[in-house]
Amino acid sequence: MGILRLLYVILHFFITYIHNLHVALSELVDRIKPVIKDRTYHWPADCHVLLTATTVKLGANIKDESLLLQKIGSELKRLDKLPIHVACLLTETDVNIDRMIVIIQWFVSMGVYCISLYDHEGCIASCQDEIKIKLKGLVENLPNGLRSKSIAVYKGFVKKEFFSSDSINIFLMNHYDGKSLFTQVAQRIVDELNYSQIDQSVVEQAINQFYPKEPELMVQFGSLLSNTTLGYSPWHLRLTQMMRAPNHTRLRVDHIVSTMLEYGSCQQRFGK
Amino acid sequence: MSWIQESKLKWYETLAVNVLKCGSIPKHVAFIMDGNRRFANKSGVKKIEGHSKGFDKLTEVLHWCLLLGVNEVTVYAFSIENFRRSEEEVDQLMSLAREKFKRLLEEKDKLNEHGISIRVIGNIGLLPADLQKLVVESMESTKSNTEAVLNIAFSYTSREEMTHAVREVAWGVQEDLLKIDDITEDLIQKCLYTRHSLQPDLLIRTSGEKHSPLPKKLTCPGGPEEFVRRETTANKRKHGQDREVSQQNGSERISYKKPDSDTSLDLSDPFIVSNLC
């Protein structure tokens, strides 16, 4: 029996080693993945759109990228598949603020004006000031129509009164925010209502007094082979589409473009 | 088909199980059973036949979990959102559920022998009265078992679970058992249907959907749990190995601590009683 057990342990070690190699190889392949050339995406609602993406070279100049992103954004909007709120989940422990700013710029160029940046421990939330300063520089790089928009950076959830839907809104969140919001809302509901009056619509109405609302899309950076929501407010993840993306420090425009196009071509059945 | 599968494994399956047991095994695995209707379409059978085959595969999977030493399994069987399907389909699903729960009651001795306790989570009040009785009977007859737990999420959505928790807390405040200031995250956690459960370490969604939304489930607050999408229900054994290995490695990569589960406050009895009436 001892020999058999030894055999199993050796096999286990071997399989784990191969798996680790597989992970490392996937990350390497992802790093050197070729840029988008022509792609046909099948869109919902019986319409086929052939979207020829401009070849985006690594380090391409900003004008090309932003035109590409604007085009994609307007196509998605036409098909009603442009998310209003995108949640960026960072699974990496080291956060590169400059890179995050660039990613925000890409989303804004596409027409997404509400973005939440989430990481479990709150590293992003602690860099609020740095992000505010760097975002001011972002405005100059935006396409013409967006330069007049103001940028607001919030920590955690924010009440309706303090939120302006005309500006570009960035929310910095960590795992405390979702639960503490729900507890706060629960306290208010219990204070004001009888237990027999409490139903799902009451709770929904109370939570919707806070922004950001449910994200339509959640992009998980840095988790190539599996997903985790890392404690993002569970209430808000009802119909959220979750997609993976490479590590945010190595993310390129074509990764974001392919993520958005895949989001645009997915079909949700809502339980039916 | 029986809830407890006692078929012998093939030699390579036994090998896989023994090799996996050398590493860490997740304590709680959750399954979202998706793709039954697509399977039925592919095979050219009726949808209800697809659901039935899905159940058969589930019993196999539960057998594998028992062998691997997974203590707790949660299965998402029916969501409140699924009530929106056609009346015919919902009725067929309810009939299937009746048949399976009746079978479960017939096999309760076997379940007790294996020490498996059944918990049904969700708003059982939305189900037909006879099914409610079957559900409660199944829970009552296996509640003293402690070896393994099977949570069946039936008529469940996470929002409904969280709303129910708020209602329970409100009842407590109205009965002068609690003050408003006592309402904390921990208290709400203790009022959830899933309060007795650990957080799932691994969530598996069958059917091969590539990028799917987390379907209206999983309130278990916070905690890194990995979820992996895998192919059809058919080839689960082979993929199970990859899943397990990646999860074992994943737990090294993610170093966040999970909160401890605390079961000191037991509000379960009022819940069961209120759903019997």
Side-chain angles (χ1 to χ4, degrees):
Chain A
M1 279 320 284
I3 299 173
L4 263 178
R5 169 92 188 150
L6 188 63
L7 172 70
Y8 297 145
V9 170
I10 292 171
L11 271 173
H12 185 269
F13 176 77
F14 187 61
I15 292 174
T16 310
Y17 185 69
I18 292 185
H19 174 79
N20 287 340
L21 274 179
H22 168 55
V23 170
L25 200 66
S26 308
E27 290 188 1
L28 183 68
V29 162
D30 204 67
R31 213 192 267 241
I32 58 175
K33 217 167 155 176
V35 294
I36 296 178
K37 297 231 167 101
D38 293 335
R39 265 200 200 183
T40 311
Y41 282 84
H42 294 282
W43 299 84
D46 301 320
C47 84
H48 290 260
V49 169
L50 182 73
L51 192 79
T52 19
T54 324
T55 310
V56 176
K57 294 199 180 72
L58 287 168
N61 75 59
I62 295 160
K63 212 173 163 194
D64 283 338
E65 274 182 12
S66 109
L67 275 173
L68 167 65
L69 292 166
Q70 270 186 294
K71 184 175 181 188
I72 288 167
S74 58
E75 283 287 343
L76 288 170
K77 195 162 186 183
R78 195 173 66 82
L79 290 154
D80 223 8
K81 272 295 207 171
L82 184 69
I84 299 170
H85 170 202
V86 172
C88 297
L89 198 92
L90 291 144
T91 58
E92 305 94 333
T93 41
D94 301 312
V95 180
N96 186 329
I97 301 291
D98 297 315
R99 209 64 206 145
M100 281 318 302
I101 302 289
V102 171
I103 293 172
I104 292 173
Q105 187 191 316
W106 290 337
F107 277 120
V108 171
S109 309
M110 275 192 274
V112 179
Y113 303 135
C114 181
I115 300 162
S116 51
L117 304 178
Y118 177 96
D119 79 305
H120 188 262
E121 292 300 309
C123 306
I124 286 226
S126 57
C127 303
Q128 188 183 14
D129 297 323
E130 195 188 334
I131 292 178
K132 267 189 181 153
I133 296 169
K134 292 192 174 165
L135 276 173
K136 289 207 168 79
L138 175 122
V139 186
E140 284 101 58
N141 292 337
L142 289 176
N144 285 329
L146 295 172
R147 281 192 201 154
S148 55
K149 275 188 180 274
S150 60
I151 299 189
V153 179
Y154 304 101
K155 232 183 190 176
F157 287 92
V158 135
K159 273 198 173 152
K160 223 179 188 168
E161 303 78 88
F162 303 116
F163 175 82
S164 155
S165 47
D166 293 325
S167 52
I168 295 170
N169 296 295
I170 312 290
F171 297 89
L172 309 176
M173 314 224 274
N174 64 39
H175 78 278
Y176 295 115
D177 294 318
K179 287 193 246 180
S180 70
L181 171 75
F182 192 76
T183 311
Q184 202 184 331
V185 164
Q187 283 175 341
R188 229 189 68 202
I189 293 176
V190 170
D191 199 18
E192 290 171 9
L193 296 173
N194 199 323
Y195 88 95
S196 54
Q197 294 170 303
I198 299 173
D199 65 2
Q200 202 168 310
S201 55
V202 162
V203 182
E204 267 175 29
Q205 214 178 1
I207 292 208
N208 284 339
Q209 299 300 311
F210 294 85
Y211 278 83
K213 293 197 180 165
E214 294 175 34
E216 284 83 13
L217 171 65
M218 176 189 269
V219 185
Q220 295 161 343
F221 294 108
S223 60
L224 256 189
L225 295 177
S226 66
N227 295 38
T228 173
T229 60
L230 276 185
Y232 193 99
S233 169
W235 182 274
H236 291 84
L237 294 180
R238 191 169 67 110
L239 299 170
T240 309
Q241 189 76 5
M242 297 188 197
M243 302 195 134
R244 288 171 286 205
N247 193 310
H248 71 284
T249 50
R250 294 199 294 268
L251 199 75
R252 299 190 306 255
V253 159
D254 56 314
H255 291 130
I256 289 284
V257 166
S258 62
T259 305
M260 294 304 284
L261 289 175
E262 289 208 52
Y263 171 76
S265 60
C266 75
Q267 191 197 31
Q268 287 191 311
R269 284 190 298 270
F270 308 110
K272 274 211 184 144
Chain B
M1 205 162 171
S2 170
W3 280 79
I4 307 261
Q5 290 289 324
E6 269 160 4
S7 53
K8 272 202 104 176
L9 294 180
K10 301 193 175 68
W11 69 267
Y12 51 86
E13 289 172 338
T14 319
L15 178 69
V17 167
N18 286 320
V19 167
L20 282 171
K21 276 170 131 167
C22 294
S24 59
I25 298 283
K27 295 201 181 68
H28 181 180
V29 179
F31 291 94
I32 297 173
M33 303 186 294
D34 192 23
N36 291 332
R37 293 183 296 175
R38 261 162 287 166
F39 175 78
N41 275 336
K42 241 187 185 178
S43 323
V45 295
K46 288 193 188 144
K47 284 184 194 166
I48 194 67
E49 188 57 35
H51 290 298
S52 187
K53 287 267 187 271
F55 175 81
D56 296 341
K57 184 52 75 172
L58 171 69
T59 55
E60 273 190 71
V61 170
L62 293 176
H63 178 52
W64 298 330
C65 287
L66 204 61
L67 287 173
L68 279 168
V70 177
N71 291 333
E72 192 165 356
V73 173
T74 299
V75 160
Y76 293 96
F78 191 84
S79 162
I80 296 179
E81 307 279 326
N82 294 144
F83 278 114
R84 288 205 251 160
R85 294 184 181 178
S86 67
E87 207 177 312
E88 189 198 340
E89 194 176 344
V90 172
D91 287 338
Q92 284 176 339
L93 285 166
M94 292 295 142
S95 305
L96 183 68
R98 268 187 207 101
E99 186 195 316
K100 299 306 173 190
F101 275 106
K102 279 188 185 141
R103 189 67 201 261
L104 194 149
L105 284 170
E106 284 166 17
E107 291 179 348
K108 66 178 176 215
D109 294 326
K110 255 202 232 173
L111 285 168
N112 288 330
E113 195 189 304
H114 284 89
I116 301 172
S117 136
I118 305 276
R119 282 186 214 144
V120 178
I121 55 178
N123 189 351
I124 301 173
L126 296 174
L127 302 173
D130 60 329
L131 190 51
Q132 288 186 38
K133 289 212 173 92
L134 284 170
V135 158
V136 174
E137 269 182 60
S138 322
M139 288 199 280
E140 283 293 307
S141 56
T142 54
K143 78 174 180 186
S144 50
N145 297 328
T146 50
E147 294 282 320
V149 182
L150 172 63
N151 298 309
I152 306 174
F154 210 77
S155 177
Y156 174 91
T157 59
S158 60
R159 284 195 172 183
E160 198 280 323
E161 179 179 17
M162 291 164 90
T163 308
H164 167 84
V166 173
R167 248 203 316 268
E168 293 278 296
V169 166
W171 175 83
V173 166
Q174 224 165 299
E175 298 290 310
D176 275 330
L177 298 166
L178 297 164
K179 296 201 179 75
I180 302 260
D181 291 335
D182 292 331
I183 302 177
T184 58
E185 292 164 19
D186 279 336
L187 180 69
I188 295 179
Q189 157 85 27
K190 284 168 189 168
C191 297
L192 297 171
Y193 299 136
T194 46
R195 62 187 169 277
H196 297 296
S197 301
L198 302 166
Q199 289 171 29
D201 295 310
L202 189 60
L203 169 65
I204 299 168
R205 182 181 181 157
T206 58
S207 90
E209 290 275 306
K210 266 185 78 186
H211 304 286
S212 48
L214 227 198
K216 7 72 196 168
K217 300 158 201 221
L218 278 191
T219 63
C220 292
E225 97 253 324
E226 292 203 28
F227 46 102
V228 178
R229 274 170 221 96
R230 275 309 175 197
E231 297 293 324
T232 63
T233 47
N235 219 352
K236 269 209 173 123
R237 185 74 228 120
K238 178 165 153 263
H239 292 138
Q241 292 174 42
D242 309 331
R243 252 198 313 270
E244 296 287 351
V245 174
S246 74
Q247 204 271 337
Q248 284 168 12
N249 291 319
S251 56
E252 288 145 22
R253 275 184 281 146
I254 303 169
S255 55
Y256 308 109
K257 264 203 274 188
K258 293 182 214 172
D260 299 324
S261 64
D262 184 353
T263 53
S264 50
L265 195 76
D266 191 11
L267 286 172
S268 56
D269 294 323
F271 161 69
I272 292 178
V273 169
S274 66
N275 275 294
L276 259 180
C277 312

